């Protein structure tokens, strides 16, 4: 069978504007897709209106444009895909791969934050009041190859709790939606931050339960600040400065272990930096850990970088 065309994606949750760490992920996934002569997609994972300031989506798309990162297909919004998630949930419920859960936060707390599992054993009828839906993980020792980190082994269930796929408040959860859309969009390769490494084995199970083979994964180290915390809204990472895209891209390339020519810092258009990056992209130069990627952290340039 012919190998399918490479399809990669960048899938931010619009909880705020892009920061330097998200630019690094976006650039890595763009470069991997371009190196494979494939397609690069952008998908807004806007599933939780309570955590998403309304302006964030526009800010993210504007930042990507300013940095010359244009998707090969129209941007997808998960907020418009509820029917597909509902269908997937119904098929998982019918196949006994998902179950209704009425546990309260208090009950979960009393069980050290873990799901006590009685609702998995004694199915609850749909009309029994508000409930979440959880995916029923199989006990397994999952083995898979990360394209950067090599062989991975994760003991599922012994380490994890059955993931919620529909929240009690009625919101579809990331774990389900990410898989349904990667399947629907024919994504063959996922490049993302290693903070999501632990999610991979359970997502692989959801792919298989929905009848699909999982894509390949490549997890890049997350970018950390001077205190060693992942750049994020919680760690108060500053928004990307969209007026300095060339400097941002050069620093992102450095964080990805590439060695951009010093003259690129004086390029007049972002396309010059992106062309150079595409022509010189070396996956083998990617750092394996955040510590190795450190020194190029967002917002806090060392004096020699300025
Ligand atoms: N939307 C997720 C996030 O922003 C990433 C999804 C993924 O790459 O699997 O953390």
């Amino acid at each position: 069978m012919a190998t399918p065309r490479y399809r990669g994606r960048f899938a931010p949750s619009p909880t705020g504007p892009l920061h330097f760490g998200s630019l690094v992920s976006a650039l890595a996934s763009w470069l991997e897709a371009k190196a494979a002569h494939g397609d690069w997609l952008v998908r807004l994972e806007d599933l939780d209106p309570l955590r998403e300031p309304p302006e964030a989506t526009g800010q993210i798309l504007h930042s990507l444009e300013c940095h010359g990162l244009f998707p090969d297909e129209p941007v997808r919004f998960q907020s418009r895909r509820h029917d597909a998630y509902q269908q997937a949930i119904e098929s998982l419920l019918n196949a006994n791969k998902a179950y209704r859960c009425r546990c309260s936060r208090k009950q979960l707390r009393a069980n050290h934050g873990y799901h006590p599992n009685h609702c998995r054993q004694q199915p609850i009828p749909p009309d029994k009041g508000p409930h979440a839906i959880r995916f029923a993980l199989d006990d397994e020792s999952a083995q898979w190859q990360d394209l950067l980190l090599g062989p991975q082994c994760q003991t599922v269930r012994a380490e994890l709790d059955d993931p919620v796929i529909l929240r009690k408040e009625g919101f579809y959860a990331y774990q389900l939606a990410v898989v349904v859309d990667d399947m629907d969009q024919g994504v063959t390769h996922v490049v993302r931050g290693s903070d999501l490494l632990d999610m991979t084995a359970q997502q692989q199970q959801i792919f298989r339960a929905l009848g699909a083979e999982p894509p390949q994964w490549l997890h890049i180290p997350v970018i950390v600040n001077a205190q060693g915390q992942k750049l994020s809204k919680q760690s108060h990472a500053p928004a990307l400065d969209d007026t300095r895209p060339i400097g941002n891209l050069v620093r992102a390339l450095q964080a990805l272990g590439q060695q951009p020519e010093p003259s690129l810092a004086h390029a007049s258009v972002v396309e010059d930096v992106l062309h150079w990056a595409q022509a010189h992209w070396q996956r083998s130069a990617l750092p394996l850990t955040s510590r190795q990627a450190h020194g190029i952290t967002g917002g806090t340039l060392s004096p020699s970088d300025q």
Side-chain angles (χ1 to χ4, degrees), residues 69-253:
L69 298 172
F70 293 97
D72 294 307
E73 288 177 13
V75 173
R76 173 171 286 200
F77 295 88
Q78 288 194 325
S79 53
R80 301 179 193 164
R81 297 266 306 146
H82 291 181
D83 290 352
Y85 309 142
Q86 189 55 41
Q87 255 179 33
I89 286 186
E90 274 154 31
S91 92
L92 291 172
L93 282 170
N94 288 337
N96 284 329
K97 284 284 183 189
Y99 59 94
R100 299 179 181 86
C101 163
R102 296 183 59 208
C103 296
S104 63
R105 268 170 226 258
K106 200 167 148 199
Q107 281 168 304
L108 296 179
R109 257 199 316 272
N111 198 41
H112 309 288
Y114 284 97
H115 182 238
N117 251 353
H118 52 254
C119 14
R120 179 165 166 159
Q121 281 133 22
Q122 288 164 10
I124 300 169
D127 51 358
K128 269 282 198 151
H131 56 265
I133 295 185
R134 289 179 184 264
F135 178 76
L137 288 172
D138 275 336
D139 267 316
E140 65 161 359
S141 177
Q143 316 235 350
W144 53 280
Q145 271 304 106
D146 185 273
L147 291 174
L148 177 65
L149 303 172
Q152 301 294 310
C153 177
Q154 205 179 0
T155 309
V156 177
R157 286 218 72 207
E159 287 174 15
L160 299 165
D161 216 3
D162 284 339
V164 169
I165 53 177
L166 176 68
R167 288 163 49 191
K168 236 187 213 164
E169 305 84 2
F171 298 140
Y172 296 98
Y174 156 70
Q175 297 288 6
L176 176 82
V178 73
V179 171
V180 170
D181 281 319
D182 280 343
M183 279 171 58
D184 184 68
Q185 294 188 287
V187 168
T188 60
H189 290 75
V190 171
V191 177
R192 61 185 183 184
S194 58
D195 52 325
L196 295 169
L197 188 65
D198 285 353
M199 304 282 172
T200 309
Q202 44 182 305
Q203 289 173 5
Q204 287 172 343
Q205 287 200 13
I206 301 178
F207 271 100
R208 296 201 173 102
L210 291 171
E213 259 316 292
Q216 305 224 47
W217 269 279
L218 187 160
H219 288 89
I220 57 169
V222 293
I223 303 296
V224 294
N225 63 19
Q227 290 75 45
Q229 302 159 319
K230 177 191 173 233
L231 293 193
S232 67
K233 200 174 162 193
Q234 289 71 30
S235 67
H236 308 290
L240 270 181
D241 180 352
D242 289 335
T243 65
R244 304 182 62 184
I246 290 176
N248 294 338
L249 285 170
V250 168
R251 282 196 302 134
L253 286 171

